[in-house]
């Protein structure tokens, strides 16, 4: 197999994709030592046509394929799409609309975050060759075995999609995954603005001084990682951001006292830049500190126990429905429900409320009980005795 290496070849291939109902897409990339993922190969397949595209080929312009990704008339099919979508979003080509077979598999009863090879095995009865799984995709030339391995991902993905979609339609569950698919297209998920970097982390305090330094350090790390094209963790660990925000060092001596700061950090090329960012944030920490909305309801003393009961209920209802529990609710959702019947969570809206949310509220009110029946948990209604008349 020969990959596409010229813009002319790519244009000819993309002409064949026009008018197709869908295109299956996968990528091979490297990012172990970089901030920005290095796109090494793009695989695409639609009914009757497939190809591997070499984005590292000298002089190739990917724009013809990016146009396909932007085309709202062509559905883009991925498996575990988030990292692929991030790459194309960085190229200003958000794949829209999108269908993720991993998310769909959760609704179709294949478990939580099912791997691609497992889905192929269960639905197509094919065992994938994994011999090229850990290939250095940046090296050239790629062997025939490597290219065959890579293109197989979209070949089978193009077969899986119609089967999986029909299964969801037949079971009335296609709408169950619509919100999940839409969220994958939300640009906010791939925001690389350094000033928003703190949102991916978990600040532990709420004072304006702490939050202003926290935001400043997270922004400095993000900006430095982008500029130097290095992973965030190589610049500064997450736990160091919390300690720096707590102590708010403003000179080299204070910075060197921190346990989480690497030895000699203040004297490195990073130290002066970081201290400058901290001092700037502290000039008006109340204005610079991000606003974090606090919970409107105080945590219930019994919330921990309620969450544990809700976990059991969720597992029981998910098994009955044949759907991955994560698609219905997360632990964060359960914590919100445990503290408030009016919690702002998707688990209390739409089909999720029907499948689980309403029962969760009934369990809190004592209207449902969890009964162990052998190795299985049953959910039963609690019949309350009528009040005695006076």
């Amino acid at each position: 197999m020969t990959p596409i290496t010229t813009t002319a070849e790519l244009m000819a291939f993309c002409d064949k994709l026009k008018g197709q109902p869908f295109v299956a897409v996968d990528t091979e990339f490297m990012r172990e030592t970089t901030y920005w993922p290095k796109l090494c190969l793009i695989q695409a397949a639609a009914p009757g046509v497939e190809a591997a595209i070499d984005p590292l080929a000298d002089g190739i312009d990917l724009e013809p394929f990016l146009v396909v990704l932007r085309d709202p008339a062509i559905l883009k099919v991925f498996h575990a799409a988030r990292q692929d979508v991030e790459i194309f979003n960085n190229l200003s080509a958000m794949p829209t609309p999108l269908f993720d077979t991993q998310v769909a598999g959760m609704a179709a009863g294949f478990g939580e975050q099912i791997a691609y090879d497992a889905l192929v095995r269960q639905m197509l009865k094919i065992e994938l060759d994994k011999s090229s799984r850990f290939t250095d995709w940046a090296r050239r030339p790629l062997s025939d075995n490597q290219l065959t391995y890579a293109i197989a991902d979209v070949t089978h993905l193009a077969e899986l999609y119609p089967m999986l979609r029909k299964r969801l339609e037949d079971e009335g569950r296609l709408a169950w995954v619509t919100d999940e698919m839409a969220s994958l297209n939300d640009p906010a998920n791939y925001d690389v603005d350094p000033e928003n970097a703190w949102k991916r982390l978990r600040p532990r305090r709420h004072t304006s001084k702490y939050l202003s330094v926290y935001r400043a350090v997270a922004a400095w790390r993000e900006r430095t990682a982008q500029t130097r094209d290095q992973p965030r963790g190589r610049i500064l660990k997450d736990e160091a951001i919390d300690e720096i925000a707590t102590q708010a060092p403003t000179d080299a001596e204070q910075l060197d006292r921190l346990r989480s700061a690497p030895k000699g950090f203040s004297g490195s090329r990073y130290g002066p830049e970081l201290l400058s960012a901290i001092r700037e944030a502290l000039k008006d920490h109340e204005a610079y500190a991000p606003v974090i909305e606090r919970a409107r309801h105080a945590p219930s003393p019994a919330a921990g126990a309620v969450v544990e009961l809700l976990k059991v209920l969720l597992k029981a209802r998910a098994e009955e429905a044949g759907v991955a529990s994560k698609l219905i609710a997360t632990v964060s959702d359960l914590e919100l429900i445990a503290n408030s019947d009016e919690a702002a969570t998707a688990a209390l809206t739409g089909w999720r409320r029907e499948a689980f949310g309403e029962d969760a509220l009934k369990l809190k009110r004592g209207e449902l009980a969890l009964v162990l029946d052998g190795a299985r948990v049953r959910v039963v209604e609690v019949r309350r005795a009528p009040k005695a008349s006076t």
Side-chain angles (χ1 to χ4, degrees):
M1 174 176 288
T2 303
I4 291 173
T5 57
T6 69
T7 305
E9 292 172 339
L10 182 57
M11 291 177 66
F13 172 67
C14 290
D15 283 342
K16 297 177 184 178
L17 297 180
K18 293 177 181 176
Q20 295 279 8
F22 72 89
V23 56
V25 183
D26 189 29
T27 66
E28 308 297 343
F29 59 90
M30 308 288 286
R31 73 178 312 170
E32 288 81 2
T33 61
T34 62
Y35 176 91
W36 304 104
K38 182 178 182 180
L39 182 59
C40 300
L41 197 68
I42 303 170
Q43 307 95 276
V49 57
E50 62 184 28
I53 305 163
D54 186 357
L56 300 182
D58 187 33
I60 192 169
D61 183 356
L62 295 179
E63 185 59 23
F65 186 71
L66 302 183
V67 169
V68 171
L69 293 180
R70 300 186 195 107
D71 188 343
I74 303 175
L75 181 71
K76 273 63 70 174
V77 180
F78 294 85
H79 184 86
R82 186 169 293 272
Q83 293 189 83
D84 299 315
V85 173
E86 177 190 355
I87 290 171
F88 291 123
N89 182 61
N90 290 342
L91 295 173
S92 301
M94 177 66 76
T96 307
L98 181 149
F99 188 94
D100 188 325
T101 55
Q102 186 178 71
V103 174
M106 293 169 67
F110 289 102
E112 310 253 351
Q113 297 181 319
I114 185 168
Y116 176 69
D117 57 342
L119 193 60
V120 169
R121 186 185 312 115
Q122 292 185 49
M123 293 198 71
L124 301 180
K125 311 304 178 186
I126 294 173
E127 197 69 41
L128 293 179
D129 177 11
K130 299 180 182 179
S131 60
S132 298
R133 189 170 190 175
F134 299 107
T135 286
D136 179 355
W137 294 103
R139 295 187 64 181
R140 293 296 183 271
L142 294 172
S143 69
D144 287 342
N145 285 342
Q146 290 171 323
L147 290 168
T148 300
Y149 167 86
I151 202 69
D153 282 349
V154 288
T155 300
H156 300 314
L157 193 58
E159 295 178 64
L160 279 173
Y161 161 67
M163 297 170 60
L164 194 51
R165 184 185 180 95
K166 185 176 186 306
R167 179 165 174 161
L168 293 178
E169 288 176 336
D170 290 346
E171 295 176 356
R173 295 183 181 178
L174 188 59
W176 289 20
V177 300
T178 301
D179 290 345
E180 298 294 321
M181 305 293 185
S183 70
L184 288 168
N185 285 133
D186 185 353
N189 291 327
Y190 312 100
D191 183 12
V192 293
D193 183 347
E195 289 299 326
N196 294 327
W198 68 271
K199 295 179 180 179
R200 285 192 297 271
L201 306 170
R202 292 189 176 183
R204 298 181 181 180
R205 305 187 182 194
H206 291 83
T207 65
S208 61
K209 182 178 179 181
Y210 170 89
L211 288 172
S212 66
V213 176
Y214 196 98
R215 178 183 182 182
V217 176
W220 169 82
R221 183 181 72 167
E222 195 79 6
R223 193 175 296 109
T224 303
Q226 292 175 4
T227 302
R228 299 188 181 279
D229 196 18
Q230 293 180 340
R232 299 180 186 96
R234 289 198 179 183
I235 307 298
L236 197 67
K237 301 295 184 184
D238 288 356
E239 55 268 24
I241 296 178
D242 174 68
E243 186 182 9
I244 292 170
T246 300
Q247 301 299 327
T250 56
D251 59 42
E253 183 179 355
Q254 292 173 343
L255 183 59
D256 283 339
R257 286 200 207 107
L258 304 184
R259 290 183 299 174
S260 59
K263 187 176 181 180
F265 190 77
S266 68
S268 70
R269 58 188 174 185
Y270 299 136
E273 297 174 0
L274 175 57
L275 288 169
S276 177
I278 294 170
R279 288 192 291 265
E280 187 64 29
L282 290 173
K283 285 181 180 179
D284 190 354
H285 58 81
E286 291 186 357
Y288 187 65
V291 177
I292 299 179
E293 185 177 349
R294 301 257 195 152
R296 289 180 293 177
H297 301 272
S300 164
V306 175
V307 169
E308 294 306 314
L309 288 173
L310 291 175
K311 286 180 182 179
V312 178
L313 174 65
L314 176 61
K315 188 174 187 299
R317 286 308 191 217
E319 288 179 351
E320 289 174 8
V323 60
S325 60
K326 184 180 178 182
L327 191 63
I328 300 175
T330 64
V331 173
S332 295
D333 294 326
L334 302 185
E335 291 172 347
L336 291 171
I337 294 172
N339 282 296
S340 172
D341 290 1
E342 292 85 33
T345 168
L348 292 181
T349 63
W351 69 267
R352 291 178 174 87
R353 187 179 183 107
E354 294 178 14
F356 168 74
E358 198 62 49
D359 283 349
L361 298 179
K362 288 180 179 179
L363 183 66
K364 285 183 64 180
R365 294 193 297 263
E367 297 171 9
L368 292 181
L370 303 173
V371 178
L372 188 60
D373 184 3
R376 179 172 170 266
V377 173
R378 289 192 298 112
V379 182
V380 298
E381 290 189 16
V382 175
R383 295 183 179 181
R384 296 182 179 277
K387 292 182 179 180
S389 59
T390 56

